[in-house]
Amino acid sequence: MGPDKAGAQNILVKKSRVTLADVAVAAGVSKMTASRALRAAGDVSKSNVERVLQAAQDIGYVGNPLASSLSGQRSNLVGVVVPSVANVVFAEVLGGIAEGMQGTGMQPVFGVTEYDLDREYNVIRNMLSWNPAGLIVTGLDQSEDARRLLENTEVPVVQIMDLDGTPIDACVGFSQSAAGAEMADALLAMGRRQIGYIGCDLNKDTRANKRLEGFKRTLLKNGLELLVEEITESPSAVSTGRALTARALANRPDLDCIYYSNDDLAAGGAFHCMANGVIVPDTVVLAGFNGLDFIESLPVKIATSRTPRRKIGKTAVKYIVATTKKNGAPQDKVIAYTPIVVD
Amino acid sequence: MGPDKAGAQNILVKKSRVTLADVAVAAGVSKMTASRALRAAGDVSKSNVERVLQAAQDIGYVGNPLASSLSGQRSNLVGVVVPSVANVVFAEVLGGIAEGMQGTGMQPVFGVTEYDLDREYNVIRNMLSWNPAGLIVTGLDQSEDARRLLENTEVPVVQIMDLDGTPIDACVGFSQSAAGAEMADALLAMGRRQIGYIGCDLNKDTRANKRLEGFKRTLLKNGLELLVEEITESPSAVSTGRALTARALANRPDLDCIYYSNDDLAAGGAFHCMANGVIVPDTVVLAGFNGLDFIESLPVKIATSRTPRRKIGKTAVKYIVATTKKNGAPQDKVIAYTPIVVD
DNA sequence: CATGATATCGATACCGGTATCGATACCAAA
DNA sequence: TTTGGTATCGATACCGGTATCGATATCATG
């Protein structure tokens, strides 16, 4: 029952969206001049810039990124491909990415692969179809098809969280196998020799697998082998870690150390020990991976490797932003961090 | 130095992207027919559908969602606005959303507000400019400006995780204040009377605040008040919970129960107690919120309210998908879940 | 055979921006 | 005064799809 009521038969009232043309009319210039002014693209007199900006402000112009991306051949979307969001680690990476994008005008689009290579391929393909400003994908081990896709695109691609392999374009992360090796060194330095391993989904989580390899390699170098290798397909969770630890310690009560594929599992191990009177770390040392915040609050001390997750996300964005800039100074293609072993 | 070298002056070799026109030519039909065939939009003979599909397959056509969204007035992007991704709860909601979108052709775009209303406004505004298929925003308490934006849009909007207030369009969640009240009831039923509260950022996290209100209301109904109310601005984390619990118990050693604004803080409380010989739950009952998976693996028992986070995400998507369908049967606008108190 | 309904198709006009290039104006140098 | 350069602007042609509507062909019916 607004004032529109009167115009029941006026034909030209859709006007659902304020467009650049409206701004141009309001400012008394052409669409092009308005476009240039709004983008600060130069070639516009100071007075007209002001006029256009004011007009846009007045009529509440927002701009249509779809149109602009279609025309400009590049969007301000950044595709982010992670294996899982339920995992805190990737959630924090996302957080870092979101933080890094703050103020850049870019928008993250995310896709979840659930550690499935086919799904990953589809997600990547789909994201590329958006002409994104960049792509951030987890890990270096994509399927051949996916890799080809990424190699042939003009879009800057940043692979994160890994360093062991050949990056397609840029790469921000750390060496997973080195991380595993370092942890092994640390545990050996603590005098541990009866060592077991507990992990999830190694066939899918190639990064955990690389850590395990590095870990075993170092053991071997010291004439040791894993006494137990409990590997499950159930999802990585604290409860899983607790259950597997119970099993492992039942089978091999002589273990004096357990390396887990991540902190969640290790925390589960800690809980099992606490609940069953196993002294940590005196009787058995537990070691995880990631350095999640809550680890240091646990009543018992467990070892872990602290990884710069937020920073990795932020850095990946920074690379894309820098590459997108016209005067793109050549960027470092490989940015390596080192996890810090904490015990 | 590829084979292109020879064609230094050939003019027509860009062809960077396979377009619908290419498919049309390859299939020997018009762009429109190709478009219709690929979208299964009808009005195309069976033989031509096959021809087009085959052609598209052969030349590797992918389709440009930008163009299609611009033309079709609606994209297949779904905006997701959450206060934080580092928080597992929202990470799991995102997981549910991603799961729900699996196979729908929709893509989630996410924005993080860090509990900042201005930021939220900007994120929402920005997302609306993409003509999204839908918007999923956390909570019912947006700023006035943001609310106006959401009310005036045609895009389906789903507010999640809360029920206490007036939804703009649809709403999937649970009553936070009722959840707080229920937990109070449960704790009182356990015979607890010396109750304290520990929480973070209540001025920003309105949902935690609602829980606290419901909690206090129930206490009051039973002639009780909180003995301690520790509220901090530091981020919600296990370590924060541990520190605040230490403080609270030092001030009021007579506490027999602590309600936390979430499970992370509560876990920190549990760790403090374990490390300091405070018996949980005999001496002091700890109660959190969310029902995170790891809670049940803790060596001590703590209470919590289990919330269907993944399901909420999934349901929100389902609403958007259903609304987007042409023959959109009228959907339930309010989908209420009930957290389950676990003790 | 005329007629109308139905199925199938394509030309054209957008969607809302941006790239490109030519036009115009103004000023300094020749 | 002529010439050349620079600053400023706008007409036009896209970007890659989709909506619309009219054209054509086919077929059952009167």
Side-chain angles (χ1 to χ4, degrees):
Chain A
M1 283 296 182
D4 283 350
K5 185 57 192 297
Q9 54 161 309
N10 59 8
I11 318 293
L12 306 169
V13 272
K14 39 162 62 174
K15 205 191 100 104
S16 56
R17 182 177 192 135
V18 179
T19 76
L20 185 62
D22 299 326
V23 177
V25 169
V29 298
S30 72
K31 262 175 65 181
M32 261 328 290
T33 301
S35 169
R36 284 195 269 250
L38 289 168
R39 284 178 297 146
D43 274 8
V44 186
S45 68
K46 254 195 173 302
S47 62
N48 269 344
V49 170
E50 281 172 26
R51 223 189 306 282
V52 169
L53 259 33
Q54 185 61 48
Q57 172 87 11
D58 289 347
I59 65 180
Y61 173 70
V62 175
N64 187 335
L66 287 168
S68 131
S69 306
L70 177 59
S71 174
Q73 304 288 296
R74 184 120 313 174
S75 75
N76 60 357
L77 252 22
V78 174
V80 181
V81 184
V82 294
S84 145
V85 274
N87 187 325
V88 207
V89 172
F90 296 113
E92 289 182 17
V93 172
L94 287 187
I97 289 175
E99 185 188 337
M101 285 187 189
Q102 191 56 12
T104 64
M106 293 186 177
Q107 285 278 325
V109 189
F110 70 95
V112 181
T113 69
E114 303 294 347
Y115 293 99
D116 180 317
L117 286 182
D118 288 335
R119 209 127 130 192
E120 184 178 54
Y121 171 77
N122 285 324
V123 169
I124 290 174
R125 187 184 158 102
N126 191 319
M127 287 191 166
L128 282 177
S129 73
W130 283 93
N131 279 52
L135 223 50
I136 300 176
V137 307
T138 304
L140 292 168
D141 309 292
Q142 282 74 37
S143 71
E144 270 190 44
D145 287 341
R147 207 179 161 86
R148 208 172 2 252
L149 230 47
L150 294 174
E151 277 165 351
N152 291 334
T153 182
E154 300 292 311
V155 172
V157 174
V158 186
Q159 288 165 295
I160 58 173
M161 304 301 281
D162 198 354
L163 230 53
D164 306 326
T166 317
I168 292 169
D169 178 9
C171 179
V172 182
F174 47 85
S175 164
Q176 299 277 350
S177 64
E182 271 185 57
M183 180 56 83
D185 279 329
L187 296 174
L188 291 173
M190 294 165 75
R192 303 294 152 159
R193 294 295 179 271
Q194 316 281 97
I195 304 179
Y197 177 83
I198 290 179
C200 288
D201 273 341
L202 289 192
N203 46 337
K204 299 189 154 187
D205 185 345
T206 59
R207 285 172 296 289
N209 206 12
K210 287 174 178 175
R211 291 197 292 277
L212 176 55
E213 277 170 17
F215 191 85
K216 282 159 89 170
R217 198 171 353 102
T218 299
L219 289 194
L220 212 61
K221 222 179 287 172
N222 289 268
L224 292 176
E225 280 196 334
L226 287 175
L227 300 192
V228 193
E229 219 169 308
E230 291 277 2
I231 288 168
T232 179
E233 294 198 354
S234 36
S236 165
V238 176
S239 55
T240 307
R242 180 161 177 171
L244 290 185
T245 304
R247 175 133 50 108
L249 286 179
N251 289 344
R252 298 292 303 233
D254 55 330
L255 285 179
D256 65 4
C257 177
I258 303 178
Y259 184 41
Y260 296 84
S261 65
N262 63 46
D263 281 349
D264 294 294
L265 295 177
F271 294 158
H272 166 82
C273 292
M274 284 186 245
N276 292 274
V278 180
I279 312 294
V280 177
D282 299 358
T283 307
V284 53
V285 166
L286 306 181
F289 183 81
N290 272 329
L292 298 187
D293 294 337
F294 79 92
I295 290 296
E296 62 186 26
S297 300
L298 287 176
V300 300
K301 249 187 152 179
I302 72 183
T304 187
S305 309
R306 192 171 294 151
T307 57
R309 304 175 290 283
R310 280 190 82 86
K311 190 167 217 166
I312 286 178
K314 224 171 143 178
T315 306
V317 172
K318 209 178 291 175
Y319 174 84
I320 290 173
V321 171
T323 307
T324 307
K325 287 249 173 68
K326 309 257 174 187
N327 49 4
Q331 298 296 311
D332 283 341
K333 289 287 189 183
V334 175
I335 295 146
Y337 291 110
T338 311
I340 300 166
V341 172
V342 186
D343 47 25
Chain B
M1 282 294 183
D4 282 351
K5 185 59 191 298
Q9 51 162 310
N10 60 7
I11 318 290
L12 305 170
V13 274
K14 41 162 61 175
K15 205 191 99 102
S16 57
R17 182 176 192 136
V18 179
T19 77
L20 185 62
D22 299 326
V23 178
V25 170
V29 298
S30 73
K31 260 175 66 180
M32 262 326 292
T33 300
S35 170
R36 284 195 269 252
L38 289 168
R39 282 177 297 145
D43 273 9
V44 186
S45 68
K46 255 194 172 290
S47 63
N48 267 345
V49 169
E50 279 173 28
R51 223 190 307 281
V52 170
L53 260 34
Q54 186 60 49
Q57 172 85 12
D58 289 347
I59 65 181
Y61 173 70
V62 174
N64 187 335
L66 287 167
S68 131
S69 305
L70 177 60
S71 174
Q73 303 290 295
R74 184 120 314 173
S75 74
N76 59 357
L77 253 22
V78 173
V80 181
V81 185
V82 293
S84 144
V85 273
N87 187 325
V88 206
V89 173
F90 295 113
E92 289 182 16
V93 172
L94 286 187
I97 289 174
E99 186 189 336
M101 285 187 190
Q102 191 57 12
T104 65
M106 294 187 176
Q107 285 278 324
V109 188
F110 71 95
V112 181
T113 69
E114 302 295 347
Y115 293 99
D116 181 318
L117 286 181
D118 288 335
R119 209 128 129 190
E120 183 177 53
Y121 171 78
N122 285 324
V123 170
I124 289 175
R125 186 184 160 100
N126 190 319
M127 287 190 168
L128 281 177
S129 73
W130 283 93
N131 280 47
L135 225 50
I136 298 176
V137 307
T138 304
L140 291 168
D141 309 291
Q142 283 73 37
S143 71
E144 270 189 44
D145 287 341
R147 209 182 157 83
R148 208 172 2 254
L149 231 47
L150 295 174
E151 277 164 352
N152 291 335
T153 182
E154 301 291 312
V155 172
V157 174
V158 186
Q159 289 164 295
I160 58 173
M161 303 302 281
D162 198 354
L163 231 53
D164 307 325
T166 315
I168 292 170
D169 179 7
C171 180
V172 181
F174 47 84
S175 164
Q176 299 278 350
S177 64
E182 272 184 58
M183 181 54 85
D185 278 330
L187 297 173
L188 291 172
M190 293 166 75
R192 302 294 152 160
R193 293 296 179 272
Q194 317 279 95
I195 305 177
Y197 177 84
I198 290 179
C200 290
D201 273 340
L202 290 191
N203 46 337
K204 297 190 156 185
D205 185 345
T206 60
R207 284 173 297 289
N209 207 10
K210 287 174 179 176
R211 290 197 292 276
L212 176 55
E213 278 171 15
F215 191 84
K216 282 160 87 170
R217 196 168 358 98
T218 298
L219 289 193
L220 212 61
K221 224 180 285 175
N222 289 269
L224 292 175
E225 281 196 333
L226 287 174
L227 300 190
V228 195
E229 220 168 308
E230 291 277 3
I231 289 169
T232 178
E233 293 198 355
S234 37
S236 165
V238 176
S239 56
T240 309
R242 179 160 180 172
L244 290 185
T245 304
R247 175 133 50 105
L249 286 178
N251 290 344
R252 298 292 305 234
D254 54 330
L255 285 179
D256 65 3
C257 177
I258 303 178
Y259 185 40
Y260 296 83
S261 64
N262 63 47
D263 281 349
D264 294 293
L265 296 178
F271 295 158
H272 166 81
C273 292
M274 284 186 243
N276 292 274
V278 179
I279 313 294
V280 177
D282 300 356
T283 305
V284 53
V285 166
L286 306 181
F289 183 81
N290 272 329
L292 298 188
D293 294 337
F294 79 93
I295 290 296
E296 63 185 24
S297 299
L298 287 176
V300 301
K301 250 192 150 174
I302 73 183
T304 187
S305 307
R306 193 172 295 150
T307 57
R309 305 173 290 283
R310 279 189 84 86
K311 188 168 220 168
I312 286 178
K314 222 171 145 181
T315 306
V317 172
K318 209 178 291 175
Y319 174 85
I320 290 174
V321 171
T323 307
T324 306
K325 287 251 173 66
K326 308 258 174 185
N327 49 5
Q331 298 297 310
D332 282 341
K333 288 287 189 183
V334 176
I335 295 147
Y337 291 109
T338 312
I340 298 165
V341 172
V342 185
D343 50 23

